[in-house]
């Protein structure tokens, strides 16, 4: 499930519980995300944990990074982490997501890991 909001030439996409099939997001999903100023994307799992929980309908950091790169978004905001992950694990997820973006052709994409009290300007 995802929503796109546009106003005054700016766009925000909110992709909660965005579990994709093994091939990644569909062409329709990529079109919805395309060129967004901000993509707030479910990052519930590591890729390894996601592989064991495919039926749950949530994404990994790799899914989010792939979607952001393919859709050429400007900013990826990670959110919706697994409740069993500690703050240290979430910090490591953010570092790994940055590497995945860079390695996948998304060096220009700003990465923002959601944290309590975070405020975004769009």
């Amino acid at each position: 499930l995802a929503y796109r909001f546009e106003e005054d030439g700016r766009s925000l996409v909110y992709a909660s519980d965005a579990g994709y099939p093994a091939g990644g997001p569909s062409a329709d999903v990529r079109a919805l995300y395309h060129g967004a100023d901000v993509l707030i994307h479910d990052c519930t799992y590591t890729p390894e944990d996601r592989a064991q929980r495919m039926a749950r309908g949530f994404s990994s950091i790799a899914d989010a990074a792939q979607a952001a790169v393919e859709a050429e978004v400007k900013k990826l905001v990670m959110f919706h982490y697994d409740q069993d992950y500690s703050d240290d694990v979430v910090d490591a997820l953010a570092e790994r997501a940055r590497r995945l973006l860079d390695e996948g052709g998304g060096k220009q994409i700003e990465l923002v890991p959601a944290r309590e009290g975070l405020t975004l300007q769009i």
Side-chain angles (χ1 to χ4, degrees), residues 23-117:
S26 69
D28 288 340
V29 169
R30 288 192 309 273
L32 179 70
Y33 297 176
H34 190 265
D37 291 289
V38 177
L39 170 60
I40 302 171
H41 198 289
D42 164 23
C43 288
T44 304
Y45 299 121
T46 65
E48 297 78 18
D49 286 347
R50 170 106 177 6
Q52 297 175 5
R53 298 168 176 93
M54 288 292 288
R56 292 190 182 177
F58 303 119
S59 291
S60 73
I61 57 168
D63 297 323
Q66 176 187 357
V69 169
E70 290 178 357
E72 301 175 325
V73 304
K74 294 178 180 129
K75 182 183 298 188
L76 172 61
V77 179
M78 300 170 51
F79 91 111
H80 192 207
Y81 313 116
D82 186 289
Q83 66 187 12
D84 293 332
Y85 289 169
S86 68
D87 289 346
D88 290 340
V89 171
V90 171
D91 290 343
L93 286 176
E95 291 174 14
R96 189 171 176 192
R98 177 73 265 164
R99 285 192 307 274
L100 289 168
L101 286 169
D102 293 348
E103 293 166 2
K107 288 184 180 186
Q108 74 287 359
I109 298 172
E110 181 182 351
L111 179 65
V112 178
R115 305 228 186 272
E116 188 173 341

